[in-house]
């Protein structure tokens, strides 16, 4: 049995207090293709072959990433995924992901290597509203 590099995870485990989209869904560039001057430099998923899109996310849980409140989630899809019209907080839209996976790797940027991970998904899902959010909206 081979060890899989992408581990399925639950949205609630990665973003226990929800997640908020920052900005728009944009195409992820394949820098080798871009450098070579290819007409379509968009990154393709190594497993599915689908186009890869990236979404900047804000994690409101200060403990979850030890000071790194922003994280990028890459979404594999043949067409640009459209996030659901969910609750918003100022310029941020609450979203959730389908098919969320985590890939651990060793980050060698900086003075000391550290364990890091990247997040991928297969699409968007409706964000679940927490009891705290629901009671705030009702007031």
């Amino acid at each position: 049995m081979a060890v899989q590099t992408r581990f399925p995870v639950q949205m609630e485990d990665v973003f226990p207090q929800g997640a908020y989209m920052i900005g728009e869904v944009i195409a992820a560039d394949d820098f080798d293709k871009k450098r070579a001057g290819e007409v379509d430099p968009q990154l393709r998923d190594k497993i599915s072959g689908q186009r890869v899109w990236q979404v900047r996310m804000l994690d409101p849980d200060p403990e979850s990433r030890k000071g790194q409140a922003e994280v990028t989630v890459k979404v594999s899809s043949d067409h640009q995924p459209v996030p659901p019209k969910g609750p918003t907080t100022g310029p941020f839209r609450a979203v959730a992901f389908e098919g969320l996976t985590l890939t651990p790797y060793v980050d060698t940027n900086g003075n000391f290597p550290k364990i890091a991970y990247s997040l991928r998904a297969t699409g968007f899902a409706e964000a679940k509203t927490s009891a705290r959010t629901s009671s705030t909206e009702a007031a």
Side-chain angles (χ1 to χ4, degrees):
M1 178 174 105
V3 176
Q4 295 179 348
T5 59
R6 295 181 186 175
F7 298 98
V9 291
Q10 297 298 313
M11 179 73 187
E12 298 78 23
D13 292 335
V14 179
F15 299 103
Q17 296 197 14
Y20 296 89
M21 190 170 132
I22 304 169
E24 301 296 322
V25 177
I26 61 170
D29 286 333
D30 181 324
F31 293 107
D32 292 332
K33 287 183 180 179
K34 195 170 187 175
R35 200 172 308 127
E38 289 194 25
V39 177
D40 182 10
Q42 188 169 359
L43 185 64
R44 299 295 197 277
D45 185 276
K46 292 177 184 174
I47 295 173
S48 70
Q50 294 178 307
R51 293 177 177 275
V52 177
W53 307 87
Q54 56 189 28
V55 183
R56 289 175 45 223
M57 301 300 299
L58 178 67
D59 184 349
D61 183 4
E63 292 298 313
S64 66
R65 286 180 184 73
K66 304 293 182 208
Q68 181 185 353
E70 186 179 321
V71 64
T72 298
V73 177
K74 292 183 177 176
V75 180
S76 299
S77 175
D78 291 328
H79 305 285
Q80 185 172 11
V82 177
K85 294 193 182 300
T88 60
T89 302
F92 309 114
R93 179 185 308 179
V95 296
F97 293 98
E98 294 176 341
L100 193 61
T101 61
L102 180 142
T103 304
Y105 65 95
V106 177
D107 182 359
T108 57
N109 295 327
N111 294 333
F112 301 100
K114 62 182 179 179
I115 300 293
Y117 59 89
S118 62
L119 295 167
R120 288 190 175 256
T122 57
F124 285 105
E126 290 286 334
K128 295 178 182 176
T129 55
S130 67
R132 193 170 81 200
T133 304
S134 299
S135 65
T136 304
E137 289 175 352

